[in-house]
Amino acid sequence: MIRVLPQSLGRMKLFHNQYGASGPPLVILHGLLGAHGNWHTLSQSAFQQVARVYAVDQRNHGRSPHADQIDYPTLAADLRTFIDRHALAPAHLLGHSMGGKAAMQTALSFPDRVDRLVVVDMAPRAYPPAHTALLDALARIDPRAYDSRDAIDAALADDVPSWPIRQFLLKNLDYDGDTYTWRMNLDAIRAHYDALTAALPMGATFEGPALFVRGGQSDYIADEDLDGIRERFPAADLVTLEDAGHWVHADAPEALADLVTAFVADPTRVP
């Protein structure tokens, strides 16, 4: 059972997996409805060769605690606490999608905790609420009413016909030997979804090295987003992996691994 913590505590202990024992710290943040395991393969095969990798579950996701609030200032405060608790500052940050915005907000709010920043397929702008129907579909499924993962998959298929998307979503299932439940805090995510699609505020900058990687088949970072990126991250470079969609780490893992490991080793080595 996941413990619900009062928001006022501000000391959330995030779950994480560590890979590697040497090199600079690299903290990885997953996207919406994801978890640290989304980055297991790259963390184990490539990233730990150049860094001590900490793949983190953000609040209301994976094995981390639940709380009523979720927005980027709160996610950044959680990450600052994580970095301080593990004495990682300054750490390299890598974030995908929602995790990319959380990483950006952390670099803007706590630049002394961040060495280098990698953002995968996310800009600091506002996005349309593209996942509202998906969140509503998940809310219509009560996993406790089903006796198998396949049955939940079949029920979800009415609203989510894509098999790969369903398999991703079903990674959020918990099973205690008797009952299925959703691992994520779906109520909080739905209640604060507008905050997760909002733009990051202007006014602060992160002057350190920043690498933005976009999928060439994705529309999450458009050419016109580059001005907004560089207003906040003046040293940012943008690299496009042409054959990848939004899930860059799944579509082009080797190319992304090459970019990230080179950047962690030497931030001037950006194509």
Side-chain angles (χ1 to χ4, degrees), residues 25 71 81 89 124-125 137 155 159 162 187 196 206 212 252 259:
D71 53 34
T81 298
R125 65 172 168 90
D159 291 315
S162 169
D187 288 343
L196 298 177
F206 174 71
F212 284 70
L259 283 173

Side-chain angles (χ1 to χ4, degrees), residues 91-228:
H92 305 329
L93 302 185
L94 185 158
H96 169 248
S97 199
M98 180 193 80
K101 264 193 178 174
M104 284 187 265
Q105 183 68 69
T106 304
L108 295 171
S109 298
F110 312 108
D112 58 322
R113 275 26 178 241
V114 181
D115 188 341
R116 301 169 194 175
L117 174 69
V118 181
V119 177
V120 181
D121 215 48
M122 198 65 169
R125 65 172 168 90
Y127 285 83
H131 296 96
T132 300
L134 192 62
L135 294 171
D136 290 346
L138 289 170
R140 285 192 286 272
I141 299 291
D142 182 356
R144 296 170 297 180
Y146 299 88
D147 60 6
S148 73
R149 190 178 185 276
D150 287 344
I152 298 170
D153 180 41
L156 191 58
D158 292 339
D159 291 315
V160 186
S162 169
W163 184 85
I165 292 177
R166 292 202 311 277
Q167 297 316 295
F168 169 73
L169 295 173
L170 292 175
K171 290 180 180 179
N172 285 288
L173 282 173
D174 246 342
Y175 183 63
D176 63 5
D178 181 53
T179 304
Y180 287 94
T181 55
W182 290 127
R183 182 174 288 169
M184 72 288 200
N185 185 351
L186 188 57
D187 288 343
I189 292 169
R190 294 178 73 210
H192 297 282
Y193 182 52
D194 287 350
L196 298 177
T197 61
L200 298 184
M202 295 292 296
T205 59
F206 174 71
E207 304 290 336
L211 173 62
F212 284 70
V213 183
R214 67 177 172 181
Q217 307 304 311
S218 170
D219 60 0
Y220 271 71
I221 301 181
D223 290 343
E224 52 267 30
D225 291 326
L226 192 55
D227 286 344

Side-chain angles (χ1 to χ4, degrees), residues 8-26:
S8 59
L9 287 180
R11 290 289 180 180
M12 183 166 288
K13 189 173 183 179
L14 301 178
F15 180 87
H16 75 283
N17 266 358
Q18 183 176 344
Y19 304 81
S22 62
L26 171 64

Side-chain angles (χ1 to χ4, degrees), residues 24 49-51 92 116 257-269:
Q49 305 302 318
V50 297
H92 305 329
R116 301 169 194 175
D258 288 344
L259 283 173
V260 172
T261 54
F263 184 70
V264 167
D266 179 357
T268 66
R269 291 172 57 193

